[in-house]
Amino acid sequence: MVVSRGRINTGFLALVTALFMLSSLPIQARDYTQAVGTIFCDGGIRGIATHIQSPQNFDPNQSVIVTAAHVIYDPKTDEPFDQCLYRPQNKRLGGIEFQTISQHSYSITNSDKVDQAESDLIFIRLKHRAYQPTLKLTTDFIEVSKFSFIGSDLELFRQSQCQTINHPYVTSKKLLLHNCPVGIGSSGSPIIHSHSNEIMAVHGGRFSIQTDSISDRPQQWIGQARRIDPSIHSALIDLLSAQ
């Protein structure tokens, strides 16, 4: 430390302050697993969420996460859990309360499973800032056949490679069908574009597809994720614009 006549050099102090502020700003994650965390509601982990980069012209220091809508609902009641927290990188002592949740039309009781999956995405603005890197939502919508998936293995986050599935029984422009290695607790996991390194979809669950009675595998399970499209960006802007 530079000291002059018993006083701290003001220029040095200003430099240290500037460096601290710069280092604490949200940054684009290089290791995708650094930008994710868990949704913890009413005593249990309900899914995964991703800390996202705020759009241009909005405060970069506020924290917003994206996840599957169903993770904050009690499947027994179709009502939100009483108390939910976001745990950055699943750090148990770092839970952050929710401030506001984006408007959505998801319902557990929706019998149209494709329609239900198409509405299974929410943004959550947190009461306090999450000190972790961010990932950006994709805006170019370039199709790719292979991508990265961030899932959980017990309490660890792992990145894996997977690819698109084209299935004749499920057609939806809003959904990405995939063969990613999903497991219990993977709802809300981000799917990362292989070229832009941005979030291109959010994993919601799996479809059970009934094929035919004479097949060796009459039932097939395929992963489904809600794509990031202009309507999703609009929902984020509406959330951030609300007082």
Side-chain angles (χ1 to χ4, degrees):
M1 180 178 294
V2 179
V3 179
S4 177
R5 295 183 182 180
R7 297 182 180 179
I8 300 175
N9 185 288
T10 55
F12 177 79
L13 182 59
L15 176 61
V16 170
T17 301
L19 289 174
F20 173 79
M21 292 179 64
L22 181 62
S23 64
S24 63
L25 288 174
I27 59 173
Q28 181 80 0
R30 295 181 180 179
D31 177 355
Y32 303 146
T33 63
Q34 294 178 349
V36 300
T38 52
I39 300 293
F40 187 85
C41 298
D42 291 2
I45 294 176
R46 308 300 174 178
I48 293 175
T50 309
H51 189 210
I52 65 169
Q53 180 178 321
S54 294
Q56 190 174 4
N57 300 324
F58 287 93
D59 182 5
N61 289 301
Q62 66 182 326
S63 283
V64 178
I65 57 175
V66 63
T67 186
H70 75 264
V71 303
I72 65 169
Y73 283 85
D74 187 334
K76 298 178 181 179
T77 64
D78 197 20
E79 296 292 333
F81 287 108
D82 290 332
Q83 185 177 23
C84 289
L85 301 171
Y86 171 64
R87 291 177 168 180
Q89 298 175 354
N90 198 33
K91 294 180 180 178
R92 297 181 180 180
L93 299 180
I96 306 173
E97 294 182 6
F98 297 175
Q99 179 172 323
T100 48
I101 298 172
S102 61
Q103 295 291 325
H104 62 89
S105 59
Y106 179 83
S107 172
I108 292 174
T109 59
N110 190 345
S111 60
D112 185 334
K113 295 308 176 183
V114 172
D115 180 67
Q116 183 186 57
E118 291 177 346
S119 61
D120 194 11
L121 185 151
I122 54 171
F123 295 102
I124 301 168
R125 180 160 49 185
L126 303 176
K127 284 189 176 180
H128 305 291
R129 184 170 151 197
Y131 287 90
Q132 68 177 142
T134 62
L135 286 173
K136 187 178 180 181
L137 300 180
T138 188
T139 56
D140 55 17
F141 313 114
I142 298 175
E143 292 289 345
V144 290
S145 59
K146 296 182 179 180
F147 31 78
S148 294
F149 174 82
I150 307 300
S152 62
D153 180 6
L154 296 178
E155 294 187 351
L156 299 176
F157 297 115
R158 299 190 183 279
Q159 178 180 337
S160 56
Q161 300 297 314
C162 41
Q163 60 189 36
T164 302
I165 292 177
N166 294 314
H167 202 286
Y169 292 0
V170 181
T171 56
S172 171
K173 294 182 178 180
K174 296 181 179 180
L175 297 179
L176 173 70
L177 306 182
H178 61 80
N179 65 353
C180 301
V182 300
I184 296 175
S186 293
S187 295
S189 294
I191 292 180
I192 313 298
H193 197 283
S194 59
H195 296 157
S196 66
N197 301 323
E198 298 169 343
I199 301 172
M200 60 182 288
V202 172
H203 172 69
R206 295 193 299 171
F207 286 138
S208 173
I209 307 297
Q210 193 73 26
T211 54
D212 57 68
S213 59
I214 62 174
S215 171
D216 292 336
R217 298 176 60 190
Q219 190 177 43
Q220 182 181 8
W221 292 91
I222 56 175
Q224 52 88 1
R226 179 54 164 95
R227 292 178 181 270
I228 303 300
D229 60 22
S231 68
I232 297 299
H233 281 275
S234 295
L236 175 59
I237 296 299
D238 289 344
L239 174 70
L240 296 177
S241 300
Q243 297 298 323

